Amino acid sequence: SLFRLKDLEVAKLGDSDVHVKMLAAPINPADINMIQGTYAILSPLPAVGGNEGVGEVLEVGQRVTTLKPGDRVIPAGSGLGTWRTQGVFPEEMLLKVPNNIPVLCAATLSVNPCTAYRMLADFETLAPGDSVIQNAANSGVGQAVIQIAKATGIKTINVVRDRPDLPKLVERLMALGADHVITEEMLRKPEMKDIFKSIPKPRLALNCVGGKSTTEMLRHLQPKGTMVTYGGMAKQPVMVPVSAFIFRDVRLRGFWMTQWKKDHAQDQESLASMMDTLFQLIRRGQLTAPACTEVPLQDYKAALEATMKPFTSSKQILLL
């Protein structure tokens, strides 16, 4: 195994540093890809895993202005190494979150809901009544897309893989505000026409799978619509028929939250306004944490194994 649980000395607190006691940190697919070395970021080893989570400030260096003991914080970027009980981090690597946000919401906020928010906002100008289609709709991003879209009046068509407990999953996604939940097989069926009697064809498709079902999803996109790829769970390329480019002028784009944060490092305004919107949705009960399984840190091996199982509908959260 690539993992060990180790006891380390906590680093000395510098003038611009913040000493944080971690509370909870999820295990995301990208965290595992980073460890396997198949991700665009390679951490110099030995490294602490985990890119998101929430902690409580214990102590701050004398030059720190934005944070004080008792504040809750989440990572501002990637690679923080959140799977630990305590850490000392530079102030600019942390973002303050309101204390009235539930711990599991805060722990799962900096990657998936931000990704969902940006993809809904940055590629197509969507108005209430418009629709979006997405695959892996039961993923962390998928659940956030459903809820953010619902709160803004956008209809969602949600594609999931067929599975033994499909009715239960459909019910759960509908309860979050999904308008339609369909299996990958249904994308090819004539019944898809029935869906578009009541809602317009989507101008935006969100893809984190790849392979054949992504090509099928693309068929339902409006002319000049955009498909944004943000993951490749099937480990297969995105195949696009030539006719989709020529006769429907579809656009294919990519999105990576880490890159967005780098590009907007100087633009604190756009980060703050996104976070404020998300905090507001959480406080109104319109954005909840994904289905979670809470695991004590010493059981990390079981949590990693559970994350890699097919058809997982629950995010493993390490309690620190």
Side-chain angles (χ1 to χ4, degrees), residues 109-140:
L109 187 61
S110 59
V111 179
N112 295 333
C114 290
T115 299
Y117 179 94
R118 296 267 50 111
M119 292 194 304
L120 287 170
D122 294 352
F123 295 92
E124 288 282 343
T125 313
L126 299 171
D130 284 346
S131 79
V132 176
I133 189 166
Q134 64 165 346
N135 55 25
N138 55 317
S139 67

Side-chain angles (χ1 to χ4, degrees), residues 126 129-133 155 157 187 192-205 216-223 225 248:
L126 299 171
D130 284 346
S131 79
V132 176
I133 189 166
K155 308 284 181 202
I157 302 159
L187 283 169
M192 282 299 289
K193 288 199 187 68
D194 298 340
I195 291 181
F196 300 121
K197 284 178 185 153
S198 56
I199 61 175
K201 285 208 154 193
R203 287 224 307 277
L204 180 65
E216 296 293 341
M217 186 168 76
L218 199 64
R219 277 180 202 216
H220 302 292
L221 209 54
Q222 273 191 36
R248 291 197 295 126

Side-chain angles (χ1 to χ4, degrees), residues 130-242:
D130 284 346
S131 79
V132 176
I133 189 166
Q134 64 165 346
N135 55 25
N138 55 317
S139 67
V141 172
Q143 293 176 57
V145 165
I146 289 170
Q147 295 174 85
I148 296 167
K150 172 83 176 167
T152 45
I154 294 159
K155 308 284 181 202
T156 56
I157 302 159
N158 301 282
V159 185
V160 297
R161 285 185 298 175
D162 200 3
R163 64 194 63 218
D165 56 349
L166 185 67
K168 220 185 338 194
L169 177 62
V170 171
E171 197 181 319
R172 197 157 64 79
L173 297 182
M174 298 298 273
L176 287 180
D179 294 281
H180 298 274
V181 182
I182 59 173
T183 62
E184 293 184 340
E185 291 71 34
M186 253 200 79
L187 283 169
R188 293 189 262 289
K189 301 257 164 78
E191 291 89 292
M192 282 299 289
K193 288 199 187 68
D194 298 340
I195 291 181
F196 300 121
K197 284 178 185 153
S198 56
I199 61 175
K201 285 208 154 193
R203 287 224 307 277
L204 180 65
L206 306 176
N207 165 50
C208 77
V209 178
K212 213 189 251 119
S213 71
T214 297
T215 309
E216 296 293 341
M217 186 168 76
L218 199 64
R219 277 180 202 216
H220 302 292
L221 209 54
Q222 273 191 36
K224 294 196 182 342
T226 305
M227 182 167 81
V228 182
T229 292
Y230 68 98
M233 282 158 48
K235 297 189 168 55
Q236 281 164 358
V238 171
M239 308 280 276
V240 183
V242 170

